[in-house]
Amino acid sequence: MRAMKNIVILISGRGSNMQAIVHAARAGGWPARIAAVISNRPDAAGLAFAQAQGIPTAVVANREFPNRECFDAALQREIDRFAPDLVVLAGFMRILTEPFVAHYAGRMLNIHPSLLPSFPGLATHRQALAAGVRVHGATVHFVTADLDHGPIVAQAAVAVEAGDTESSLAERVLAQEHIIYPEAVRCFVEDRLAIDNGLVRVAPPVQA
């Protein structure tokens, strides 16, 4: 029997991907617990959802620190209070320092609203529309020191339709995020992910 894994989720806003993961974990009986939801913004709407679910929450407000290094050090201390096996970035709008990323190497996931390596950074849907691509999407990846890069765990493709706006495209991409992110996290907690020469190998689920 697998040991239960602790998951700490970081958010900056409403945390819709966090909510999808919480619901999927409970519905699927994962060998994991959501140990905490932590935000860099005290007004993040997702904190109320987590509290209503009985999940411990914390705030480490980046505005209270003079630089990224000090903030990341304080955030790391708070995360580590919950002994995480996995740290999940779910709309956490901070660029992380190399020491912080190194501390969680191989156990921190992020989701990005594009088919990486295309369109890293912000305004991905605007970038996709401006480039005239026919296919857009979302990517779950392990976090490395390079912004929006790292071994890819899962991707979902979304067709770009005639007349799409940033908001209409974002809505369809987000719906796919809510599918692939929980599944990627589940694969991690079931010990089905392995990084081999920068590529992620996903093992099939064990049959009961």
Side-chain angles (χ1 to χ4, degrees):
M1 184 175 181
R2 295 187 185 92
M4 292 286 286
K5 287 185 170 60
N6 289 330
I7 301 172
V8 172
I9 304 179
L10 307 186
I11 65 172
S12 292
R14 62 177 175 161
S16 68
N17 273 306
M18 174 269 292
Q19 295 181 36
I21 290 167
V22 169
H23 289 313
R26 291 185 173 171
W30 296 0
R33 64 177 64 86
I34 310 301
V37 172
I38 301 174
S39 178
N40 64 309
R41 294 182 54 181
D43 61 346
L47 292 172
F49 169 85
Q51 291 160 2
Q53 300 295 313
I55 300 169
T57 62
V59 174
V60 182
N62 59 281
R63 292 185 177 182
E64 296 179 1
F65 297 88
N67 53 49
R68 285 199 293 146
E69 289 75 16
C70 290
F71 168 71
D72 280 9
L75 179 62
Q76 180 178 313
R77 288 192 297 271
E78 185 63 30
I79 293 170
D80 287 352
R81 289 201 310 113
F82 299 96
D85 296 286
L86 176 65
V87 176
V88 174
L89 307 182
F92 189 65
M93 304 304 290
R94 297 291 300 170
I95 295 175
L96 301 168
T97 57
E98 289 190 22
F100 183 93
V101 171
H103 182 70
Y104 299 108
R107 55 192 181 112
M108 183 159 58
L109 293 175
N110 181 49
I111 191 160
H112 184 74
S114 79
L115 293 174
L116 291 175
S118 297
F119 312 130
L122 299 175
T124 59
H125 311 304
R126 186 184 313 160
Q127 292 184 61
L129 292 172
V133 296
R134 297 295 184 263
V135 179
H136 189 39
T139 303
V140 180
H141 65 97
F142 281 99
V143 177
T144 65
D146 294 325
L147 179 65
D148 295 331
H149 285 75
I152 292 172
V153 178
Q155 291 183 305
V158 172
V160 179
E161 299 175 356
D164 257 333
T165 63
E166 286 182 57
S167 60
S168 65
L169 186 54
E171 183 178 354
R172 295 202 309 283
V173 170
L174 187 61
Q176 293 302 310
E177 292 180 35
H178 293 167
I179 296 171
I180 65 170
Y181 211 1
E183 181 57 28
V185 174
R186 180 174 183 169
C187 288
F188 182 95
V189 302
E190 292 179 350
D191 297 319
R192 291 165 49 204
L193 301 182
I195 303 174
D196 180 14
N197 291 323
L199 300 177
V200 177
R201 309 297 182 191
V202 183
V206 176
Q207 299 298 320

